[in-house]
Amino acid sequence: MTTDTIEYTNDAYDSGKRILIEGANATMLDIDFGTYPYVTSSNPSIGSVLTGLGVSPRKISGIYGTTKAYCTRVGEGPFPTELDRDAGIGEHLGVVGAEWGTTTGRARRVGWLDIPQMRYSTLINGFTALNLTKLDVLTGLAEVKIGRAYKHNGKILNTMPSCLKTMSEIEVIYETLPGWTEDISQARNFDDLPVNAQRYVL
């Protein structure tokens, strides 16, 4: 079907229909806000909803961010919390998480959850809620880490570096938490999770 999508989308909104718009890739691959030049050719952040569909920002009622319980990346580019994909915890994340590129089939790079990148993405997109996925992949690890902050030349950075050289030089400050061994595949609410998994989420 070929149609005027601006009219189509806005008419649907005006008639009371609920509209779900999904962004591909991730904010760190955004051509304007990501780790250029290691980015995609478009804007997978919230701005593309407005410029791509011709929808007023007043019509957006919720912005839901989705993140894995750890980080992944396909291809080149900075990855501060990266782990060795072929050994130890990195191998666990890659194999248990089935981390291969959907299109290319290449093994995704894996690493610990990166809070500075999450804060940056939230700043740009204004998320009203976050969906945390693949928490079960961490099951069985003796301890789990969270990248809490970046340090460069002895100073804590308050924002995402815009320079790739700086990104390559940063030190990640980690928080280490005890892991869990309980099966969480049947968990349907927060209280079903083991205490250590709850602590990780919080």
Side-chain angles (χ1 to χ4, degrees):
M1 178 178 72
T2 301
T3 189
D4 181 338
T5 55
I6 297 174
E7 180 182 37
Y8 179 83
T9 305
N10 283 281
D11 283 351
Y13 177 89
D14 291 339
S15 68
K17 291 185 178 178
R18 299 176 69 186
I19 301 171
L20 176 65
I21 303 160
E22 180 182 2
N25 298 311
T27 300
M28 298 312 297
L29 297 179
D30 189 288
I31 194 169
D32 292 315
F33 302 112
T35 52
Y36 186 86
Y38 304 105
V39 294
T40 189
S41 59
S42 62
N43 297 104
S45 53
I46 188 63
S48 64
V49 175
L50 314 179
T51 59
L53 287 177
V55 173
S56 164
R58 293 184 178 182
K59 294 180 178 178
I60 298 176
S61 60
I63 306 169
Y64 304 95
T66 299
T67 182
K68 296 174 185 175
Y70 53 94
C71 282
T72 60
R73 183 169 191 145
V74 173
E76 300 297 318
F79 195 159
T81 64
E82 186 170 15
L83 296 164
D84 182 356
R85 171 64 197 252
D86 298 321
I89 295 172
E91 183 180 26
H92 172 97
L93 296 179
V95 173
V96 177
E99 296 297 351
W100 286 273
T102 305
T103 303
T104 64
R106 285 185 296 173
R108 293 190 182 107
R109 298 159 64 193
V110 297
W112 295 117
L113 189 65
D114 189 320
I115 298 301
Q117 286 191 10
M118 288 181 66
R119 283 200 189 104
Y120 178 70
S121 183
T122 301
L123 178 67
I124 290 169
N125 294 286
F127 298 132
T128 55
L130 284 175
N131 298 307
L132 184 68
T133 68
K134 292 200 167 186
L135 182 64
D136 59 311
V137 174
L138 301 180
T139 299
L141 297 177
E143 60 182 28
V144 288
K145 293 185 178 182
I146 301 173
R148 297 302 302 259
Y150 293 162
K151 182 185 287 188
H152 185 254
N153 290 337
K155 295 181 180 180
I156 299 294
L157 301 181
N158 294 318
T159 186
M160 183 63 58
S162 59
C163 172
L164 290 181
K165 182 176 184 298
T166 302
M167 283 290 287
S168 69
E169 296 171 347
I170 60 174
E171 172 191 349
V172 180
I173 299 173
Y174 289 100
E175 178 179 351
T176 302
L177 299 169
W180 59 92
T181 57
E182 297 91 336
D183 178 16
I184 64 171
S185 62
Q186 300 304 310
R188 294 296 176 264
N189 58 64
F190 186 73
D191 291 335
D192 293 336
L193 295 173
V195 171
N196 286 349
Q198 291 183 9
R199 289 173 178 164
Y200 182 82
V201 172
L202 294 175

